[in-house]
Amino acid sequence: MRAEFVHEADPDDAQWKIAAYENPVGERLWHATATATVPLQIICALLDSLGSGDATKIAAGSPLSEETISEATRPLADAGWEHTIDGRRIRWQAPGGRHVGVQFDAFAAQAHPCTQAAWTFWGGNVGSPKWALRFSPHAAASVLQSVMFEVANGRTPTPITAHARHHNVIDRASTHAPPAPRVSSTRRG
């Protein structure tokens, strides 16, 4: 897994670029991008889901099937989101007038090579979103589900902005803290 953060990205540009690879020099299995204005809580849910569980399983992604789509979108259904089918797209809209949605593009999911986004999370208007988070077709269902849970149940989103234009590449292996020293306890009696 690799995550790249671009400081001071323009609001419509990808500030986060995440990719999963077969091995360090292998083919990319799936990827995700997030614009600079994606709410902080959603970015935290994304990063937490990438850091939890079996790294190999998350990096491998999930095969695209009706079962995978159903599993990934369960938090939306549980929160009362309605879905509509518009030709090649399935779109879920937040209840209660919230301007947040999720879209699955079946055409993009079947395109070869799979460079287009199959999953789009957006805020504002789907045609010109204030923020967008996009995933390629084979993104790990567990990661999609974590993000969908936050989108469906999250509080008022807080957009984030960056300040300096730099590129940082973080390898998952380099983000682990060294083990904490053991503390011995002594009994006094």
Side-chain angles (χ1 to χ4, degrees), residues 33-58:
T33 61
T35 59
T37 52
V38 171
L40 181 59
Q41 299 91 326
I42 296 170
I43 292 296
C44 287
L46 170 62
L47 295 175
D48 286 347
S49 68
L50 292 171
S52 65
D54 182 353
T56 304
K57 187 174 179 181
I58 290 171

Side-chain angles (χ1 to χ4, degrees), residues 102-145:
V102 177
Q103 176 176 284
F104 175 75
D105 186 331
F107 180 76
Q110 300 303 322
H112 295 286
C114 295
T115 57
Q116 297 180 24
W119 295 98
T120 302
F121 296 76
W122 52 269
N125 181 322
V126 70
S128 58
K130 291 182 181 179
W131 60 265
L133 173 60
R134 296 177 174 89
F135 290 87
S136 65
H138 300 288
S142 62
V143 172
L144 290 168
Q145 190 177 60

Side-chain angles (χ1 to χ4, degrees), residues 125-188:
N125 181 322
V126 70
S128 58
K130 291 182 181 179
W131 60 265
L133 173 60
R134 296 177 174 89
F135 290 87
S136 65
H138 300 288
S142 62
V143 172
L144 290 168
Q145 190 177 60
S146 293
V147 173
M148 289 203 206
F149 182 84
E150 181 59 39
V151 169
N153 299 299
R155 282 92 18 225
T156 304
T158 306
I160 58 174
T161 56
H163 300 290
R165 190 175 290 269
H166 303 288
H167 293 279
N168 293 334
V169 178
I170 303 169
D171 285 321
R172 186 164 196 247
S174 66
T175 60
H176 295 290
R182 290 194 155 185
V183 178
S184 63
S185 62
T186 57
R187 249 188 169 164
R188 294 180 187 209

Side-chain angles (χ1 to χ4, degrees), residues 9-35:
D10 291 328
D12 294 335
D13 290 343
Q15 184 173 47
W16 285 97
K17 297 175 185 177
I18 297 166
Y21 296 89
E22 190 174 302
N23 57 52
V25 293
E27 185 177 326
R28 184 171 68 178
L29 301 172
W30 64 270
H31 63 279
T33 61
T35 59

